[in-house]
Amino acid sequence: MNATGVFLLFLVLIAIQIFLKPKKNKYKKNNKGNNMSQKEETITIKMIGEHFKKSSREINKIFNELGWIEKRDRWWILTLAGENKGGKELYNPKNKTKYTIWNKKILNDTQLINRIYDSSKENINSKQTQGYDNLYKKNKPKMTKTEKKKKGDEYEKYIADFFREQGYYVWEHGKEKGVKDKNIDLFIKKDKNIYFVQCKNWETWKVDHNKIKATRMDILDYLEEDKILKEMINNYNWKILYITSKECLTKAAYTYIQKNKDIIEYQVIPMA
């Protein structure tokens, strides 16, 4: 082979080596940055407390009152409401502890901000609180029965679709039973969890503890009447789920739910 041939062969071998050489991932640095960004999207209870100038203990108590977490054994466990708020439950095998983390958007959650504000007014006496609640009663807007029913039906349908999208079986009990619904608008089931759902699409009214109590008693009475259903749900984890379109519970209502958290959960789901 002459010199020209050898030179051409040399160039071909170099070209092959360049082509086969693994390319560096030029996006590696960016991906690292993205991962850091994703980590910043989740925050701990301690970080939430630092943001609102509250201790981790106070934040856990508020989250518990909101129905987002519940105490089980020694740990705070995520509830359905907390999961829907973007919470995640984690386990640390090193020190064998369970804990929750939250999407950073929780810092702008209206329900949480209102509870933080309410918790800062603990020095207000009961007379002042009663006067505050009476203010809502005096300013209730007047609506016809037809308007109220339409508003309620629209919200129930919205909540039914909301849970269907999350993989729940949904029975629109209130729609089927009408005035005989026993305060059960929806019956939802997923895996071993069952919820009797009461929906309230209220804007300026306040839900007091008597309404929560009435829902609880009606559902318990309903189960006493329907022995087949009562026997069936004994094999499931079941609770009453009280849902409103905005934050509208009185302090007494919050207290009642807290005392009965083993059977009642509360969640705010605004209509989009």
Side-chain angles (χ1 to χ4, degrees):
M1 182 180 294
N2 58 28
T4 303
V6 173
F7 180 70
L8 290 174
L9 179 60
F10 178 71
L11 291 177
V12 170
L13 290 173
I14 291 176
I16 291 173
Q17 287 181 349
I18 293 173
F19 180 77
L20 294 178
K21 187 177 181 181
K23 294 182 179 180
K24 292 183 178 179
N25 187 355
K26 65 180 180 179
Y27 299 106
K28 187 174 182 180
K29 185 176 181 181
N30 290 337
N31 285 340
K32 185 177 180 181
N34 288 339
N35 288 338
M36 289 177 64
S37 177
Q38 289 174 358
K39 288 180 181 178
E40 290 175 356
E41 285 298 317
T42 57
I43 54 179
T44 63
I45 290 292
K46 182 179 179 182
M47 294 165 70
I48 295 171
E50 290 172 351
H51 177 81
F52 289 110
K53 294 184 169 73
K54 297 280 185 182
S55 67
S56 297
R57 186 174 181 178
E58 288 175 305
I59 295 298
N60 277 324
K61 180 181 178 182
I62 290 171
F63 275 35
N64 181 228
E65 291 172 350
L66 291 170
W68 298 351
I69 57 176
E70 62 183 17
K71 201 68 172 284
R72 195 175 301 168
D73 297 328
R74 293 177 297 162
W75 319 119
W76 287 110
I77 306 299
L78 198 68
T79 65
L80 170 67
E83 185 180 341
N84 290 335
K85 284 290 183 179
K88 290 184 180 179
E89 187 178 306
L90 300 178
Y91 176 72
N92 187 336
K94 191 173 182 179
N95 53 17
K96 298 181 180 180
T97 58
K98 294 180 180 180
Y99 62 99
T100 59
I101 59 173
W102 301 82
N103 190 294
K104 197 172 183 180
K105 293 179 181 178
I106 201 72
L107 297 178
N108 298 319
D109 185 87
T110 303
Q111 189 180 4
L112 174 59
I113 292 171
N114 287 340
R115 278 309 280 132
I116 294 286
Y117 176 71
D118 287 343
S119 69
S120 300
K121 300 188 300 180
E122 293 179 353
N123 293 328
I124 296 178
N125 60 44
S126 59
K127 186 175 182 180
Q128 288 174 309
T129 304
Q130 184 179 1
Y132 177 73
D133 291 340
N134 288 337
L135 183 63
Y136 278 90
K137 294 178 181 179
K138 292 179 180 178
N139 290 281
K140 285 183 180 180
K142 294 181 180 179
M143 294 179 66
T144 65
K145 288 185 178 180
T146 303
E147 289 173 332
K148 288 181 180 179
K149 187 177 186 310
K150 182 180 178 182
K151 190 177 180 67
D153 290 346
E154 288 175 349
Y155 188 59
E156 286 177 30
K157 180 66 169 60
Y158 178 81
I159 296 301
D161 292 340
F162 175 85
F163 282 105
R164 284 194 184 101
E165 289 176 0
Q166 297 185 52
Y168 281 82
Y169 162 79
V170 179
W171 175 21
E172 295 184 54
H173 184 268
K175 182 178 179 181
E176 181 177 321
K177 298 293 184 178
V179 295
K180 298 180 180 180
D181 66 359
K182 295 289 184 179
N183 260 332
I184 305 172
D185 294 325
L186 303 172
F187 176 93
I188 65 175
K189 173 184 173 295
K190 185 177 182 182
D191 301 326
K192 280 290 184 178
N193 299 310
I194 288 177
Y195 291 89
F196 297 94
V197 184
Q198 168 67 205
C199 307
K200 292 294 183 187
N201 188 17
W202 289 4
E203 293 182 359
T204 56
W205 297 283
K206 276 283 184 177
V207 177
D208 62 22
H209 69 287
N210 290 319
K211 289 184 175 64
I212 306 289
K213 184 178 180 179
T215 297
R216 175 174 178 259
M217 298 308 297
D218 283 346
I219 292 174
L220 291 177
D221 289 344
Y222 179 78
L223 291 176
E224 287 299 322
E225 295 171 7
D226 194 329
K227 300 296 183 182
I228 296 176
L229 179 61
K230 184 179 180 181
E231 185 177 347
M232 183 193 78
I233 68 171
N234 284 335
N235 298 319
Y236 292 84
N237 302 315
W238 69 273
K239 281 188 175 183
I240 298 165
L241 180 57
Y242 209 93
I243 301 176
T244 61
S245 57
K246 66 167 294 183
E247 183 69 32
C248 58
L249 264 60
T250 64
K251 188 174 181 179
Y254 273 116
T255 302
Y256 184 81
I257 290 175
Q258 179 66 16
K259 287 181 178 178
N260 296 277
K261 61 183 179 181
D262 59 318
I263 195 175
I264 303 175
E265 283 189 24
Y266 172 61
Q267 189 172 354
V268 176
I269 304 179
M271 283 191 72

